[in-house]
Every structure is written in structure tokens, then in C-alpha cells.
Amino acid sequence: MVVETKGIHIIEVEWATNPAAQRGLSRRLYLGSQVCKVEEFWFTLALRPILEYGYQVYRVSSDTNLDKLERVQLSAARIVAELRGSSPVDIFLYESGLQPLRLRSTHNRTKYFSKLFSYNNQHRTANFLRSWQNNQRLKKSSPLGHDLKIDALHSLVEFNSLKTFASLLDSLPSVFFHIELLTHTNKSSQHPEYLRQTALEGINNIPIEATLIYTDGSKNETGHTGSGVFVKHGRREASLKRRIADYCSVFRSEMMAIDMALDFVLEHQLFGEIWILSDSRSVVQYLDNCRDVNDRRGMDIFNKLRTLCNTCVLHLQWIPSHVNLKYNDIADSLAIEGTTMPQAYVEPLTYLELYSRRKALVNISWKHPPAHSWYRNEGPGAAIRFKGDKKDQTVLARLSSGHLKTLRFSRGDKKFNICTKCNMIETTSQHLLDCVALVYDDLFKRPDFML
């Protein structure tokens, strides 16, 4: 095999002496660089949901039974990463980007039990779990008790109603929701300047005596969230900012900003025409479709709208974000400042936010590469991130793992039989890189240059 690259001897050592590997992979080469992604996609779509079904209950089974399911996923990881069978299990999963089932089950169980707890007395299973003890039914360790021991659950879960609130729509005659501007717009395909001009045209059509309230929410990389509100009533202006519960969604922070705006209207007893301008179309759509409102924050907003609709005409208008609208940018900066404020009190999170928080913590621990002498990588899924054909992906994954078929143990070290560039006998993997003036970091920083 002739490959005119700087790392020719590295590829030759692995592939020229291993025709069986070439034959085994030739059936996938027609897909090129998408092979690993396709294999991972079908595993996560079709197989993994079956492995995880009912995991909240049988998680307390013996390690021997749970290892059987882990081995099924490990078989899929071997197909995705195409590493040697001698490679450690954790490298297999890390290279293919597949989290161990035990690790994934942590946030999945958090979502399951938190959702049941949020129903309070509305659900029979929720009532049963709230009174379930570890010694009940002679069971040594219940699934719920096991999760409480590892602190996988949160004591504060926001109430989630099973009832709909369609009847509220009839009692809000002077509340209007606008999920579009004067003309239909598509933020993903239209130019920001066009969106800005369209938004300004709609804002300029608002009566001059109306009160304009701009709302926005923000979330930083550390999970801190904040809400900002900017009020403009004639020449008078007011600014509000607040930090809300950590790890909550941006959607919730936008909802909180609208709730803060309504509190401001109630506190200052504003009347007349009031326009609340939010750059979250999903929040306006959610409130517009009252049949989907079943969380406590949504119910609070509707109760305040019901109180205000007797003295005010309220409009909830969507406007595009990050298109250089002056007052919307002020609200955005207030929301960002709110993320840095001290948290006044702890608010309950929804079950989905508790799930996201637990998942974020799991992903942080998962991003640390396995501790092995030769292996080093920046993040999981390296075998499928490289945009090359299947052969190059496999070569880089095997070389980075330090497990190649042509390697053999000599005096306690893994060595190649010969270096094809300098003809040195019994060379290490580091020598192959030094021989062509490369460093190990190039494997994951410049993989295309290595080949």
C-alpha cells in the first residue's frame, strides 16, 4: 500500500501488515467519513432505548446482571471505534462517544422520579413513592431508596399540574399574543438588518402613550441564569434584573422576565395599553396555547393577566433577538448582569431542569479522558469527529489508544518490530512520531496533518 503522506510509515505498519483488517472494513468504506456516525446513530436510535427501558426499577439488580447490558453496548462501541480487542473498555466507550449505561442512568432516574414527585397528590404512583420505605415488601434496597442514598434526587421540585387551563382563555378578553411581526419573518434565513427594520416598523406602530416593557433571559456557561426587564413609559424608564435558580432553562428565565414585568405593572398600578416585548417566540407561543400551560410559573402569569385585564390592554409581542434593537439589548445586558448577582433564595426547579442539571454534571465528569499511560484526548467521540475515511479514522484511534496489532511486548514495553523510515529495530510509538518531527498532541489537534 502506497500512501504519500508525512506519516507513511505509521499507516504502513498498521495496514500493510494487517490485510484482515482491510477486508473487514472494506464493506463500510463506501460511506466514507460518515460510517462511524451512522453506526452510532442506529445504536442510539434503536438499541440503547431497549437497554435503558425500565432502568429506574432494575438499577438495584446485581452487578453481574447489569454487566450483561454493559457488554451489549461495548459490542456496539467496538464496531464504531474499530479498536483492537486488547484496548481497555473505557477507551472503547470514550472513543466512540458512548457513555456507560450506569452513568447515563443517573440523570435518567432523576428525570423519572422528579417527574413523579412533581405531581404531588394528583398521581397514585407519586403518592406510593413518597411513602415508600426501604424495608417495605421485604426488599433490601428499593430503587427510590437507592437514588436517595446517592443524592440523585432533589427535594425541591416545582409542581406540575395534570389538569389543563383552557377555561382561562375565556376570561382574558383584553390580552393578545403576537408571535409574528407585521409580516411573516424567518430568523434563520433572513438577514438581521431586514429583521431589525421589520421589528422597528412594528414597534413604531405602537401608540406613543403605551407602556413598552422589554424582557429577556440569559444563562452562562456555569449554569447561572438571570432575567432582565427594561420599562419605558414616555420619558420615564426603569430597569429590573434578578438572578434565578441555577441550571434552569433559558425558556424558564424568559418566563420569569415576563412574570417580573407583570409584577412591575401591578406594583406601580399602570393602566392603559401595555406592550410586553419578548425575544423568545417559544414563550409567547406557549402562553398563547393555554392548553399546554401546566406549570406553576405559567399559572402565576395567567392569574396576573386575569387581574390586569380589567384595567389594562395587554399585548405580548415577539421581537427578533440580537438584531441591534436598542432597548432589547439593554434588557439582554440586564439579564446577563443578573447571572452575576447573589441568589436571594432557592427556587424549586421543574423535573426537566433537574434532569438537565444532573446531565450537565454527568457530562462534565465524562469529558475527562481515561487515565492510561499513552492515551490522551480532548473529549469523547474522537473516532467519529475526524472528517476522513474509515481507514484513517481507525488508524488514528488505534495509534492514540496505543493498541496496534503490530505492537508486541518487549521487556515490559510495547514496541514495533521496525521503523520503516530509519529501519530501527524494536521502536516505540513515541519514536515513530519523533522520526518525522511530530508530537503526540498532533494526533487530536492536527489529525489531517498526521496523515
Side-chain angles (χ1 to χ4, degrees):
M1 183 179 72
V2 179
V3 182
E4 296 181 0
T5 60
K6 190 172 183 180
I8 178 175
H9 66 298
I10 298 178
I11 301 177
E12 282 182 339
V13 167
E14 170 63 12
W15 284 89
T17 61
N18 191 4
Q22 298 179 24
R23 292 193 300 269
L25 295 176
S26 61
R27 61 184 176 86
R28 303 189 188 93
L29 289 180
Y30 73 97
L31 286 174
S33 62
Q34 301 299 320
V35 173
C36 289
K37 295 181 180 179
V38 171
E39 292 168 342
E40 184 202 22
F41 169 77
W42 281 111
F43 171 76
T44 56
L45 177 67
L47 184 57
R48 189 161 64 185
I50 299 176
L51 298 178
E52 294 182 341
Y53 181 78
Y55 206 86
Q56 299 86 352
V57 176
Y58 66 76
R59 174 64 187 90
V60 295
S61 301
S62 63
D63 292 338
T64 303
N65 292 327
L66 295 177
D67 287 340
K68 295 178 181 178
L69 296 178
E70 295 282 2
R71 285 197 292 270
V72 176
Q73 177 169 265
L74 180 60
S75 299
R78 294 179 189 273
I79 297 175
V80 174
E82 289 289 354
L83 296 177
R84 299 296 306 170
S86 59
S87 301
V89 173
D90 50 358
I91 292 182
F92 266 115
L93 297 174
Y94 199 77
E95 282 290 320
S96 58
L98 300 177
Q99 289 184 359
L101 294 178
R102 284 185 174 87
L103 197 60
R104 281 183 51 84
S105 69
T106 304
H107 48 268
N108 288 335
R109 298 197 312 270
T110 299
K111 178 181 179 181
Y112 175 77
F113 286 115
S114 298
K115 184 176 182 179
L116 287 176
F117 285 164
S118 67
Y119 293 146
N120 288 339
N121 298 325
Q122 304 175 96
H123 198 274
R124 178 182 295 180
T125 305
N127 285 331
F128 178 71
L129 289 177
R130 285 178 175 274
S131 60
W132 196 1
Q133 302 296 328
N134 286 347
N135 59 356
Q136 200 165 350
R137 294 191 177 183
L138 302 179
K139 191 170 183 63
K140 191 172 183 180
S141 178
S142 68
L144 178 60
H146 183 271
D147 290 340
L148 291 174
K149 289 180 181 178
I150 63 174
D151 195 25
L153 302 179
H154 199 276
S155 57
L156 294 177
V157 184
E158 185 174 288
F159 172 72
N160 188 33
S161 177
L162 294 174
K163 300 179 181 179
T164 60
F165 297 91
S167 59
L168 290 177
L169 186 63
D170 300 331
S171 59
L172 302 177
S174 59
V175 178
F176 305 93
F177 301 92
H178 311 278
I179 60 176
E180 286 288 352
L181 301 175
L182 296 179
T183 58
H184 176 72
T185 56
N186 189 339
K187 188 178 178 181
S188 60
S189 60
Q190 292 175 333
H191 196 276
E193 185 60 29
Y194 172 78
L195 294 173
R196 178 176 182 274
Q197 294 298 329
T198 306
L200 288 175
E201 183 181 354
I203 294 174
N204 291 334
N205 286 335
I206 298 175
I208 192 172
E209 66 275 6
T211 302
L212 302 183
I213 304 179
Y214 294 82
T215 64
D216 204 353
S218 179
K219 181 178 181 180
N220 60 20
E221 296 179 353
T222 60
H224 297 171
T225 54
S227 300
V229 177
F230 181 79
V231 183
K232 182 173 177 56
H233 181 67
R235 294 185 178 181
R236 292 180 296 176
E237 297 178 350
S239 299
L240 304 173
K241 55 185 177 181
R242 175 182 171 186
R243 180 176 171 181
I244 55 179
D246 293 343
Y247 294 101
C248 79
S249 61
V250 178
F251 179 89
R252 179 182 174 87
S253 65
E254 297 278 1
M255 290 273 290
M256 289 290 298
I258 294 177
D259 191 52
M260 292 168 56
L262 296 176
D263 286 337
F264 181 88
V265 174
L266 288 170
E267 181 181 355
H268 292 81
Q269 299 180 354
L270 300 181
F271 58 90
E273 196 166 349
I274 298 175
W275 286 73
I276 298 178
L277 307 172
S278 173
D279 60 5
S280 176
R281 177 180 283 176
S282 58
V283 170
V284 180
Q285 288 176 331
Y286 176 69
L287 295 175
D288 186 22
N289 188 6
C290 63
R291 293 182 180 274
D292 294 335
V293 176
N294 56 4
D295 61 293
R296 183 178 63 85
R297 187 60 54 188
M299 290 189 293
D300 290 344
I301 290 176
F302 268 106
N303 289 331
K304 293 172 184 177
L305 290 175
R306 179 187 292 177
T307 303
L308 291 171
C309 70
N310 296 323
T311 57
C312 304
V313 178
L314 290 162
H315 296 266
L316 272 73
Q317 171 71 58
W318 169 79
I319 56 174
S321 61
H322 307 294
V323 292
N324 197 23
L325 294 175
K326 177 182 177 181
Y327 298 117
N328 184 64
D329 291 343
I330 294 177
D332 181 56
S333 62
L334 291 172
I336 295 175
E337 293 175 6
T339 61
T340 61
M341 295 176 61
Q343 197 165 5
Y345 56 92
V346 179
E347 296 180 354
L349 298 177
T350 65
Y351 72 92
L352 289 177
E353 291 167 350
L354 291 173
Y355 164 75
S356 299
R357 183 181 69 171
R358 176 63 61 173
K359 186 176 181 179
L361 297 176
V362 169
N363 289 338
I364 291 175
S365 62
W366 164 245
K367 288 181 179 180
H368 297 289
H372 293 278
S373 58
W374 174 258
Y375 183 76
R376 188 165 70 252
N377 216 323
E378 287 186 329
I384 61 177
R385 285 201 310 266
F386 175 64
K387 298 180 180 179
D389 58 25
K390 182 65 176 181
K391 178 184 65 176
D392 294 340
Q393 289 176 341
T394 304
V395 169
L396 288 173
R398 291 184 180 182
L399 183 60
S400 63
S401 66
H403 288 260
L404 304 174
K405 185 174 182 180
T406 51
L407 281 172
R408 65 183 181 88
F409 276 97
S410 177
R411 299 175 184 177
D413 296 327
K414 294 180 181 179
K415 295 182 178 180
F416 290 99
N417 291 330
I418 189 172
C419 175
T420 59
K421 184 174 181 63
C422 64
N423 295 326
M424 180 178 178
I425 301 176
E426 290 191 353
T427 61
T428 61
S429 301
Q430 185 62 46
H431 171 80
L432 297 182
L433 297 177
D434 296 339
C435 201
V436 290
L438 293 174
V439 295
Y440 180 82
D441 290 345
D442 291 331
L443 280 173
F444 51 89
K445 289 183 178 180
R446 298 188 300 171
D448 53 341
F449 180 73
M450 292 286 295
L451 298 173

